[in-house]
Structure formats: structure tokens, C-alpha cells
Amino acid sequence: MARTAARLDAPAGPPPPAPAPPRGVLGLTRPLVVLVLLAVLVGLFLLTIAAGSVTIPLDDVVRVLLGGEAPQPAWATIIVDIRLPRAITALVAGAALGVGGLLMQTLFRNPLADPFILGISAGASLGVALVVLVVGTAGTTLVGGLGVLGNLGVAGAAATGAAVVTVAVLLVSRRMTSPATVLIVGLMFGYATAAVVSVLIHSGFGRFERVRAYIAWGFGSFGGTTWSQLQILVPCVLVGLVATVLLTKQLNALLLGDRYAASMGLHVGRTRVVVVLAASVLAGVVTAFCGPIAFVGVAVPHMARGLLRSSDHRLLVPAVVVVGGIVALAAGLVAQLPGLDATLPLNAVTSLIGAPVVVALLLRLRHASQAIVT
């Protein structure tokens, strides 16, 4: 007793040091990383509007965006009617594809899953092709001149086609254990769906101009979206993003496996349905108006994980939105070849950006499955 009393009376030692705040890339705190990313996003957004065949000073870009007048009236037309829709499209599409890829990687527990690789974008392409065959187009682009109802039909058909392929791959994947096999199955679905689309296009479109418009649409572009199409694209993407934000806890549980998630009280089947719907809307509407875009969905989630050093979806979802916008704006900027009249295929640029990033990140991991849980 005497020894116990002596221990209680002894002066307490120094309190243990407070745990260090979680760090992101380069040892920076996560809030600082987010602030840097937001600054880069704003800079690229303004640069996308300023750069092009006609270079516009940044201060004039900001003045026009704030409602002021440009020194040259033509600049206001270029900014408002051409470059601002393109920049908004890139921002929204990058966020949607990045979050769609994050949902696919969590749903399939596969670090290489994304809407393009799993054939989901091909399913969306099938929906677009069917609508265009039935309704027809009046513009120079594949989905141009459709009107509000036509654009709604294209977006709905693309999301439906994406959902059908996602459910098909998901059902087949439940009979397989190897992540590589699931990817191969997704690729096969994608090839088969793309083949059906090609047959429909070449046999049903008839006119050479439409076939050429379809081929150009397949290259991917942020520059063909109009303000009327943005009225469909932006709300649909916001719905998908809000649904994803509301699912962050459930997505964290799915990372631990279906059995463990179910033991935590999660309704796994219902969660999977909501995830499929959200991913289908995000990938479908972007594919409808921008064409199938490769590698953004698979690369952006890995970039966000590497920057924040976290797999917590409460952090990853907003980070993927920002990083997706950055990657898409940068790719669109490179594709526009500022100062020149030529334009590169967007998919060529996204592949050049995404492929090395994915390979470098996977080589740093001893096991591929660690890429989504570390």
C-alpha cells in the first residue's frame, strides 16, 4: 500500500506529445495540399480561357468574367461563347470521370477499374448511337442541334447504356476472384459493345458527314459542348457527385470487404445499386457530350490518394473532384495547342498523361490490391 501511495503521490511526467497532423505529399499538411490544388485549378481554368489561337490577357479574361467590358469586343464573344463553355465542360467532365473511376475501383476493389476500361463508356456510346439513329442530328457534331429534349434523351440513354454494362460486369465479376480476370471481362464487354456501335453507325447513319462526326466524337473533346448542353450536363454531374458524397461512409465500409461491411450493419446490395447508378450517371452524361475519354477515371483517384496519403473517401471524394478538374483542364489546354489552329485528339493527350501515372504508382506498390486501401 505504501508503495502504491508513493506512486500516486509521485509528480506526473511530461504529457505525451500530441500526435502529428496527417501529412500529404512532400510532408505538407492535407489542408495546405488542398489549398495548393485549388490554386492550381483556378489558374488552369483562367489559362484555358486565355489561351488559344487568339491569346487574351488574363486580366481581361477576369474582367469579362466579372461582367466588365473587354478592350476588343471580339474577345468577349470568344470568352463567353466559346472558351468559357469549354473550360466549364473540362472542369465538370474531369470531376465526373475521376469520381466515376473512384466508385468503380471501390465497387470492384480493383485499382485498375474505371468506366473506360470496364466498357461502361462503350455502353454509354451505344445509348448515344441509338438516340442519334432514331432522332437524327442537325449540327456538325454528333449530338449537335438536338434541342433540350434531345439532349435529355441522349444523356438518359447514355446513362442507361452505362448502367446496363456496369450491372453485367458486376454480375459476372461475382463469379470470379482474380481482379485481372474482371478487367479482361470488362474489356470484352467494351469491345463487344463498341463493335455493335460501329455496326449501327456505319449501317444506319448512311450519310458520310454523320460517320465522320461519330469518328470525331470518339476522339473525345471538351470544345463541342454548348450552353444548352451544359444545362443538362452540369445538373446531372452534380446529382452524381452529391450522391457520392452521401455514400462516403458506405464506400469506406466496402473497402473492408462485403462480409465485414455487412457485419457493420451496411446493406451491401442497396449500396451497390446506388453506386452503380451514380457511376453510370457520371460516366454516361460525360460520354454523351464529350465522347469516350480514356485514363482520367483510372489515373485521377490514384493521384488523389498519393497527394493526400489517404484512402478515406471523406477526403478522397473532394480531392478527386479537384484533381480531376486539374487533369482535364491541363489535357484540354495541351490538346488545343495554344497559339496554333490545330487541335490534338483529347484521348491521345489523356493517355499520355494517365498511362505513366498509373504505371509509376502501381510500381511503388508491392501488391496491386494495396493501391485502393493504403
Side-chain angles (χ1 to χ4, degrees), residues 193-268:
T193 308
V196 173
V197 174
S198 296
V199 171
L200 288 174
I201 294 297
H202 286 83
S203 63
F205 275 28
R207 292 168 51 188
F208 175 73
E209 292 79 8
R210 291 184 181 177
V211 175
R212 187 173 60 181
Y214 171 76
I215 294 174
W217 175 81
F219 290 150
S221 174
F222 298 135
T225 309
T226 62
W227 281 112
S228 61
Q229 291 171 341
L230 282 176
Q231 293 176 3
I232 308 298
L233 174 62
V234 174
C236 289
V237 170
L238 287 178
V239 169
L241 294 180
V242 170
T244 304
V245 170
L246 297 177
L247 283 172
T248 51
K249 290 184 178 179
Q250 290 88 335
L251 292 171
N252 283 339
L254 285 180
L255 285 180
L256 304 175
D258 290 354
R259 291 184 179 179
Y260 195 90
S263 69
M264 297 171 63
L266 178 68
H267 196 299
V268 176

Side-chain angles (χ1 to χ4, degrees), residues 215-343:
I215 294 174
W217 175 81
F219 290 150
S221 174
F222 298 135
T225 309
T226 62
W227 281 112
S228 61
Q229 291 171 341
L230 282 176
Q231 293 176 3
I232 308 298
L233 174 62
V234 174
C236 289
V237 170
L238 287 178
V239 169
L241 294 180
V242 170
T244 304
V245 170
L246 297 177
L247 283 172
T248 51
K249 290 184 178 179
Q250 290 88 335
L251 292 171
N252 283 339
L254 285 180
L255 285 180
L256 304 175
D258 290 354
R259 291 184 179 179
Y260 195 90
S263 69
M264 297 171 63
L266 178 68
H267 196 299
V268 176
R270 186 186 307 163
T271 303
R272 285 180 177 275
V273 170
V274 179
V275 170
V276 168
L277 290 176
S280 300
V281 170
L282 292 171
V285 293
V286 172
T287 303
F289 297 117
C290 304
I293 298 175
F295 275 104
V296 175
V298 67
V300 167
H302 290 296
M303 296 170 73
R305 291 188 189 98
L307 290 170
L308 294 182
R309 302 281 194 263
S310 174
S311 60
D312 188 344
H313 286 79
R314 293 171 298 180
L315 301 174
L316 274 184
V317 172
V320 166
V321 169
V322 177
V323 176
I326 290 174
V327 170
L329 285 169
L333 192 61
V334 173
Q336 291 299 320
L337 293 175
L340 301 175
D341 292 332
T343 301

Side-chain angles (χ1 to χ4, degrees), residues 67-156:
E69 295 184 358
Q72 300 185 27
W75 288 1
T77 303
I78 293 173
I79 291 174
V80 175
D81 294 340
I82 300 175
R83 295 184 182 177
L84 184 57
R86 185 176 68 198
I88 294 175
T89 301
L91 182 64
V92 172
L97 292 175
V99 173
L102 177 64
L103 291 174
M104 291 295 98
Q105 291 171 12
T106 304
L107 181 65
F108 289 95
R109 288 179 53 78
N110 192 319
L112 296 179
D114 91 320
F116 191 87
I117 295 175
L118 292 177
I120 298 168
S121 296
S125 302
L126 177 59
V128 173
L130 290 175
V131 171
V132 172
L133 280 173
V134 173
V135 179
T137 58
T140 56
T141 60
L142 187 66
V143 294
L146 290 178
V148 176
L149 291 179
N151 289 328
L152 275 174
V154 168

